[in-house]
Amino acid sequence: MPKQTFFNLPEEKKATLIRAARKEFSRVPLNDALIANIVKEAGVSRGSFYQYFEDKDDLYFYLLDKNTEDRWAVFVSELKKHDGDLFAAMTGMFYSTLSLINEKDTRDFYSNMFLNMNYKIEKTFKHTVKLEEFNKQMSNVLPLIQIEDLHAANNEELFHMLQITMTIMIQALMLKFAQELSDEEVAKHFELQLKLVKRGFIK
Amino acid sequence: MPKQTFFNLPEEKKATLIRAARKEFSRVPLNDALIANIVKEAGVSRGSFYQYFEDKDDLYFYLLDKNTEDRWAVFVSELKKHDGDLFAAMTGMFYSTLSLINEKDTRDFYSNMFLNMNYKIEKTFKHTVKLEEFNKQMSNVLPLIQIEDLHAANNEELFHMLQITMTIMIQALMLKFAQELSDEEVAKHFELQLKLVKRGFIK
DNA sequence: TCGACTATATGACACGGTGTTACTTATTAC
DNA sequence: GTAATAAGTAACACCGTGTCATATAGTCGA
């Protein structure tokens, strides 16, 4: 998390910093990003940077979290839209993410993210966690899911189904960037894999 | 790929280099590994390193490839052992990998690998690839799989089933290191997820 | 046995990025 | 208005990278 000093900054300065960081993290993945470029672009001194953030990672994960925290909201809204159909909701989330990715000023950022997605990044992106925390987090979502349609004996199995479908989605998006697939190709890939697991999730 | 110069080296010197590299990549993940440490440990000059390898990544992926190329062989042998049962074979491969991971002198290397697994590493580890290449690579394996048991209409669906089960395995192993799970916990996780997708893969 | 060519080995070096620190400037509070 | 606290800065020490000029060893035809 950024330091308090950062949050105390006037909105405009914060925005400038964030814009500069996004630009750098769009240019290259986290490991290759240079603090030097960010401070230059934002027009602040190097010393200031370290008064706002612990290091590069601190800033990156703050950004990532900001940019993905609404993924969960999308999922919930899709779930409502499709009367609790888990697969329809995940599909909706997939296409929503796909179009987000295609926006000119987000594409490179996501490209670098997906191609260098490790456990920590995946965890942040999934915005989800251990089984113990799952029930708490999901308390307002669980009732939305049409569990009668699912071959899930309990919450634990439901949790794993969510994990698997989420992973299928992420893997598909990774593939898009890795092999520069078209939306159609990656959608076909995603829908097929979803269909395959679905056959088993459905009673 | 390492340069020819490296392959021309006497076996013993190659082994020393590899041992030194493994040590460094066990200490820290790829990004934090220092060439300085490797050359120091191996007792060669910095200049020599660059005559053997393009850079750090070159050496790392060579090592990784060497260490994972027998994963495929394990899979094939498991497939034979279980009369073509895809799930039994994958489970066998899982436990085989698990015990490999638990060996004292491989654990840290794999820990760093799994926790920093990005697309390129995953691809190398999976030792598998695009659909087009799949049929060629699998030509000697496909006949082994009891496809009658599977709910797969064609090779493409079979390919995706393999991808999904492989991913489930990898994710489980990642989780082991990330949350420091016991073998029992991670096995439970893996087996449950496999069970869930299995319900659908089986006619 | 020589010399010439080729392969291998080396450490010094220029370059560039990081994170810190001593110091300056701005803001707040009384 | 001054003291205390917060924010901003540039210079610096440190360290790792990749390269290069040079040295050494090995090979082979004459």
Side-chain angles (χ1 to χ4, degrees):
Chain A
M1 265 287 120
K3 300 180 185 173
Q4 190 54 46
T5 314
F6 174 72
F7 293 111
N8 293 342
L9 254 32
E11 287 308 319
E12 204 219 316
K13 190 160 187 179
K14 269 193 284 192
T16 306
L17 245 350
I18 287 172
R19 223 178 303 121
R22 275 193 73 93
K23 186 173 173 187
E24 180 63 2
F25 292 128
S26 297
R27 185 182 70 85
V28 285
L30 174 55
N31 292 316
D32 303 326
L34 302 179
I35 293 173
N37 286 342
I38 297 173
V39 297
K40 193 179 164 194
E41 177 76 22
V44 300
S45 73
R46 180 170 194 79
S48 290
F49 181 92
Y50 286 96
Q51 243 161 345
Y52 305 147
F53 311 103
E54 289 296 333
D55 52 24
K56 227 174 26 175
D57 285 35
D58 187 27
L59 172 52
Y60 182 75
F61 282 98
Y62 171 67
L63 262 193
L64 187 61
D65 208 42
K66 251 175 92 67
N67 275 274
T68 60
E69 65 192 357
D70 49 12
R71 293 293 87 204
W72 192 251
V74 168
F75 181 63
V76 171
S77 100
E78 289 289 329
L79 214 41
K80 284 178 182 157
K81 198 161 87 187
H82 296 98
D83 304 314
D85 182 333
L86 179 64
F87 301 101
M90 197 61 80
T91 305
M93 191 174 165
F94 171 76
Y95 284 105
S96 147
T97 308
L98 204 56
S99 69
L100 182 69
I101 279 172
N102 280 317
E103 284 172 30
K104 190 163 152 292
D105 60 331
T106 46
R107 186 171 27 230
D108 291 341
F109 182 84
Y110 279 103
S111 173
N112 287 326
M113 185 195 77
F114 277 107
L115 289 176
N116 293 276
M117 182 168 268
N118 57 24
Y119 179 76
K120 198 177 166 196
I121 293 177
E122 182 161 349
K123 196 180 141 198
T124 304
F125 186 78
K126 277 185 175 169
H127 222 271
T128 185
V129 279
K130 298 187 186 178
L131 178 56
E132 301 95 70
E133 302 164 42
F134 175 71
N135 290 309
K136 207 173 63 191
Q137 268 208 30
M138 287 290 283
S139 57
N140 52 336
V141 180
L142 279 180
L144 297 173
I145 296 179
Q146 274 298 103
I147 200 157
E148 300 81 48
D149 297 343
L150 298 174
H151 204 316
N154 49 43
N155 263 9
E156 191 189 358
E157 293 198 0
L158 181 56
F159 169 77
H160 284 285
M161 286 184 185
L162 253 171
Q163 287 286 119
I164 291 169
T165 48
M166 194 83 94
T167 301
I168 286 176
M169 188 185 85
I170 291 175
Q171 293 274 329
L173 295 171
M174 277 173 62
L175 204 69
K176 176 177 169 61
F177 289 113
Q179 298 182 9
E180 295 177 351
L181 302 183
S182 67
D183 283 5
E184 291 69 37
E185 287 170 308
V186 69
K188 191 174 157 240
H189 178 101
F190 169 75
E191 302 235 24
L192 176 52
Q193 292 207 348
L194 198 60
K195 187 184 88 179
L196 292 176
V197 295
K198 202 172 162 180
R199 283 182 186 164
F201 288 178
I202 301 266
K203 270 182 199 158
Chain B
M1 264 289 120
K3 301 180 184 173
Q4 190 54 46
T5 314
F6 174 72
F7 293 110
N8 293 341
L9 254 32
E11 288 307 321
E12 204 218 319
K13 190 163 189 178
K14 270 193 283 192
T16 305
L17 246 350
I18 287 173
R19 222 177 304 121
R22 275 193 73 92
K23 187 173 173 187
E24 179 62 3
F25 292 128
S26 297
R27 187 183 67 85
V28 285
L30 174 55
N31 292 316
D32 303 326
L34 301 180
I35 293 173
N37 286 342
I38 298 173
V39 298
K40 193 179 163 195
E41 177 76 22
V44 300
S45 73
R46 179 171 197 79
S48 290
F49 181 91
Y50 287 96
Q51 242 160 346
Y52 305 146
F53 311 103
E54 290 296 334
D55 51 25
K56 226 173 28 174
D57 285 35
D58 188 28
L59 171 53
Y60 183 76
F61 283 98
Y62 170 67
L63 261 194
L64 187 61
D65 210 42
K66 252 176 91 68
N67 275 274
T68 60
E69 65 192 358
D70 49 11
R71 294 292 88 204
W72 193 249
V74 169
F75 181 65
V76 171
S77 100
E78 289 289 329
L79 214 42
K80 283 178 182 157
K81 197 161 89 189
H82 295 97
D83 304 315
D85 182 332
L86 179 63
F87 302 100
M90 196 61 79
T91 305
M93 191 174 166
F94 171 76
Y95 284 105
S96 146
T97 308
L98 204 55
S99 69
L100 182 69
I101 279 173
N102 280 317
E103 284 171 30
K104 188 162 153 293
D105 60 330
T106 46
R107 184 169 31 228
D108 291 341
F109 182 84
Y110 279 102
S111 173
N112 287 325
M113 184 195 77
F114 277 107
L115 289 176
N116 293 278
M117 182 169 266
N118 58 25
Y119 180 76
K120 199 177 165 197
I121 293 177
E122 183 161 348
K123 196 179 140 199
T124 305
F125 185 78
K126 276 185 175 167
H127 223 270
T128 184
V129 279
K130 297 186 188 179
L131 180 55
E132 302 94 70
E133 302 164 42
F134 174 71
N135 289 309
K136 205 173 63 192
Q137 268 208 31
M138 288 289 284
S139 57
N140 51 335
V141 180
L142 279 180
L144 296 174
I145 296 179
Q146 274 299 102
I147 201 157
E148 300 82 46
D149 297 341
L150 299 174
H151 204 316
N154 50 43
N155 263 9
E156 191 189 359
E157 293 198 358
L158 181 57
F159 169 76
H160 284 285
M161 286 183 186
L162 252 171
Q163 287 286 119
I164 291 168
T165 49
M166 194 83 94
T167 301
I168 286 175
M169 188 184 84
I170 291 175
Q171 293 274 328
L173 296 171
M174 277 173 62
L175 204 67
K176 176 177 170 59
F177 289 113
Q179 298 183 8
E180 294 177 350
L181 301 182
S182 68
D183 283 6
E184 291 70 36
E185 288 171 308
V186 69
K188 191 176 155 236
H189 178 102
F190 168 75
E191 301 235 24
L192 176 52
Q193 292 207 347
L194 198 61
K195 187 184 87 179
L196 292 176
V197 295
K198 202 172 163 180
R199 282 180 186 165
F201 288 179
I202 302 266
K203 267 179 200 159

